[in-house]
Amino acid sequence: MATSHWKVRPYVLTGGRTRTRRHLLVHTLVSVPYYDAVFAAGLLPEARTLYENARDTKSVAELSACSGMSLGVTRVVVDDLAASDRLVVHADAYSSPFDFRLLERLRDGLRQLA
């Protein structure tokens, strides 16, 4: 007989929340600035897995895959850990290759044609 592993329902981990305080993209990098074993021991197992995996800088998508949690739940838990200053959310190093002024002029021109 196969053994089943008990998992906490996602809404328990997020407190029913689906939105985050900050914009966390799939490629957003996070890391633990200083690891606290006592703090980690007090976390739910799923949050602890995220916290421990983020000891090395990882993206939100990588943390989601490592923990087995959905991306939405991972974002909320990562946001909670970042709000308590346990995780650092790194600024996006990706900038747009597009000139926004050119795109705005193009949009305005298309609106005039319509």
Side-chain angles (χ1 to χ4, degrees):
M1 183 168 144
T3 60
S4 63
H5 292 81
W6 183 82
K7 282 187 99 170
V8 175
R9 295 250 182 215
Y11 61 82
V12 173
L13 295 172
T14 64
R17 292 170 294 127
T18 57
R19 299 185 189 267
T20 58
R21 295 171 202 81
R22 63 188 87 211
H23 195 59
L24 296 173
L25 300 172
V26 222
H27 61 268
T28 301
L29 298 176
V30 296
S31 65
V32 174
Y34 54 90
Y35 181 77
D36 184 357
V38 175
F39 174 75
L43 293 172
L44 289 172
E46 292 82 4
R48 185 178 327 124
T49 300
L50 287 178
Y51 182 67
E52 289 174 349
N53 281 319
R55 289 170 82 171
D56 299 322
T57 303
K58 286 193 168 79
S59 70
V60 173
E62 289 174 305
L63 290 174
S64 177
C66 290
S67 67
M69 289 191 292
S70 71
L71 189 57
V73 173
T74 300
R75 283 180 175 148
V76 173
V77 175
V78 163
D79 188 52
D80 289 345
L81 290 170
S84 65
D85 294 328
R86 299 299 182 160
L87 280 181
V88 172
V89 177
H90 300 278
D92 283 336
Y94 307 102
S95 61
S96 175
F98 304 107
D99 180 8
F100 285 107
R101 291 180 306 223
L102 175 63
L103 292 174
E104 288 173 349
R105 285 182 27 222
L106 179 62
R107 178 197 62 199
D108 294 341
L110 289 172
R111 281 185 180 162
Q112 288 178 355
L113 290 174

